[in-house]
């Protein structure tokens, strides 16, 4: 049997009410954590929310998340044949699953009735 990586992934829309899911993904040396997450979306669960753009160019910074407690770029963090814990950034506003609001407030789209942080205006 070929090697696998085990990704323990935090899921949810609210940091206080999320849950963990464990997925086995095929492992090949040189793959990134983002490769593993994309494999899950294609083969197991298309609802897993992740964000990326440049894929391995390390230019867009869209794929930032926490891996084993460290902030990483998922597209450059190496996948390993062991259990890896993947969470959204703990210091950013959660959007869903592994996606957080990372754009500076001045660069975000304005939404009528919401503050720059996405909270309702008072
Ligand atoms: S996808 Fe662009 S830096 Fe990771």
């Amino acid at each position: 049997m070929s090697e696998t990586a085990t990704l323990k992934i935090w899921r949810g829309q609210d940091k206080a009410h999320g849950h963990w899911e464990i997925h086995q993904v095929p492992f090949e040396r040189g793959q990134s954590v983002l490769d593993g997450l994309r494999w899950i979306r294609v083969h197991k669960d298309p609802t897993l929310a992740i964000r990326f753009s440049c894929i391995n160019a390390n230019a867009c910074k869209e794929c930032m998340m926490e891996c084993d407690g460290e902030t990483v770029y998922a597209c450059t963090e190496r996948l390993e044949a062991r259990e890896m814990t993947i969470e959204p950034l703990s210091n950013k506003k959660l959007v869903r699953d592994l996606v957080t609001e990372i754009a500076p407030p001045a660069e975000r789209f304005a939404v009528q009735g919401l503050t720059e942080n996405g909270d309702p205006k008072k």
Side-chain angles (χ1 to χ4, degrees), residues 110-121:
V111 177
Q112 192 168 8
L114 299 179
T115 66
E116 294 173 334
N117 294 325
D119 301 319
K121 284 184 179 173

Side-chain angles (χ1 to χ4, degrees), residues 12-119:
Q13 293 182 300
D14 174 348
K15 286 186 177 178
H17 299 99
H19 65 278
W20 294 95
E21 288 183 358
I22 295 178
H23 293 277
Q24 306 281 333
V25 302
F27 170 77
E28 272 184 50
R29 193 169 305 283
Q31 285 183 311
S32 68
V33 168
L34 182 60
D35 291 330
L37 295 170
R38 292 171 63 215
W39 188 91
I40 292 169
R41 281 185 41 151
V42 169
H43 296 95
K44 292 178 126 184
D45 185 352
T47 69
L48 174 63
I50 55 176
R51 185 165 53 204
F52 57 94
S53 181
C54 67
I55 306 181
N56 301 344
N58 197 17
C60 72
K61 319 296 188 207
E62 297 279 334
C63 65
M64 280 196 296
M65 56 188 68
E66 293 184 8
C67 178
D68 296 330
E70 300 286 326
T71 299
V72 300
Y73 298 117
C75 70
T76 58
E77 184 72 8
R78 292 294 121 211
L79 191 67
E80 297 179 23
R82 62 174 177 85
E83 182 172 296
M84 303 177 83
T85 301
I86 313 294
E87 302 173 73
L89 294 173
S90 56
N91 63 341
K92 298 292 181 185
K93 181 178 172 60
L94 179 67
V95 177
R96 185 166 64 88
D97 298 341
L98 300 175
V99 177
T100 52
E101 184 57 75
I102 58 171
E107 296 178 16
R108 296 180 193 155
F109 288 109
V111 177
Q112 192 168 8
L114 299 179
T115 66
E116 294 173 334
N117 294 325
D119 301 319

